[in-house]
Amino acid sequence: MLKDLYKYQNEAGTDEAGRGCLAGPVTAAAIILPEGFANDILNDSKQLSEIKRDGLRPILEKEAVCFSVCHVFQDEIDKINILNASFLAMHRALDAMEKAPSFILVDGNRFKPYPTIAHECIIKGDGKYMSIAAASILAKTYRDEYMAKIHEEFPMYNWKKNKGYPTKEHREAIREFGLTKYHRKSFRQLPEQLTLDI
């Protein structure tokens, strides 16, 4: 059962999507839900079907006090590493909010403190608190939308389906076609080949 406000009014939930992908951005969202907000479907984005996520997105956008979504793209990920890029994406999403939150709930166990606003990290928070679950939905749907768009440019990687995650199909396409401008060059794109010295 997802909980309502955790500590304060105007509390923002934040989460990211795409951290484990080989291509595309890491995407973060921040959202403040109104007091008393309720939705029976809302849950961790990973627990919901694509249809349910896509259905929730306009509801969250309409009902939110405010929200923001931010991409940090592959070139920047390669420069600062994926952990720092995830923190940066969440900070930029918070920066872009129309209203500054009074407190920040972060999914996971690590976060770079945001200036002047206290935070708390919640392990598996997207399955516990509505504001984090809502942020996870927005981050996931916006990132999926972006990956579907660049799929049209490079359909051989089937990003519309695998969203850039290291699936067998995606790795086979990398073997055959190489890397694109959207791939994260700092990631191990293919598993190391085992060889026998005979």
Side-chain angles (χ1 to χ4, degrees):
M1 180 75 178
L2 294 178
K3 298 179 183 178
D4 197 356
L5 299 179
Y6 181 62
K7 284 182 179 292
Y8 306 106
Q9 289 183 325
N10 294 320
E11 178 176 84
T14 186
D15 197 6
E16 51 74 25
R19 196 162 152 180
C21 295
L22 301 180
V26 61
T27 303
I31 185 169
I32 298 174
L33 293 172
E35 190 172 1
F37 176 84
N39 185 288
D40 291 337
I41 300 172
L42 181 60
N43 200 349
D44 169 11
S45 64
K46 296 183 289 296
Q47 303 300 318
L48 299 176
S49 67
E50 185 174 357
I51 291 172
K52 287 185 177 178
R53 288 194 300 267
D54 289 344
L56 278 168
R57 175 171 149 180
I59 295 170
L60 296 171
E61 291 176 341
K62 181 181 178 183
E63 296 293 330
V65 173
C66 61
F67 74 92
S68 176
V69 182
C70 177
H71 299 300
V72 171
F73 291 96
Q74 55 282 346
D75 291 347
E76 201 161 10
I77 292 170
D78 288 339
K79 287 178 185 174
I80 64 176
N81 79 45
I82 188 60
L83 180 62
N84 286 323
S86 298
F87 295 157
L88 180 61
M90 288 189 274
H91 277 226
R92 285 180 178 169
L94 290 161
D95 288 344
M97 298 267 276
E98 290 180 3
K99 183 173 185 175
S102 57
F103 191 76
I104 303 165
L105 286 178
V106 184
D107 184 53
N109 62 356
R110 296 175 72 183
F111 187 61
K112 182 180 179 182
Y114 187 80
T116 73
I117 302 173
H119 75 273
E120 184 165 349
C121 294
I122 312 289
I123 296 172
K124 296 186 179 177
D126 47 6
K128 296 174 182 175
Y129 297 100
M130 286 197 298
S131 61
I132 302 179
S136 79
I137 297 289
L138 294 180
K140 174 70 173 159
T141 54
Y142 273 80
R143 187 181 189 280
D144 286 358
E145 184 177 72
Y146 176 84
M147 295 307 293
K149 181 180 175 183
I150 65 172
H151 164 89
E152 301 302 321
E153 189 176 351
F154 292 99
M156 65 282 279
Y157 299 92
N158 203 12
W159 289 328
K160 192 171 184 178
K161 182 180 177 185
N162 63 50
K163 308 300 190 293
Y165 282 91
T167 61
K168 183 178 179 182
E169 177 185 34
H170 188 184
R171 292 212 194 261
E172 288 300 324
I174 291 170
R175 276 198 184 89
E176 184 174 353
F177 301 106
L179 301 180
T180 69
K181 60 186 178 183
Y182 298 112
H183 280 96
R184 301 173 185 177
K185 307 303 191 292
S186 58
F187 279 44
R188 181 177 292 167
Q189 298 285 335
L190 293 171
E192 291 180 359
Q193 296 248 303
L194 297 177
T195 58
L196 293 175
D197 293 323
I198 300 175

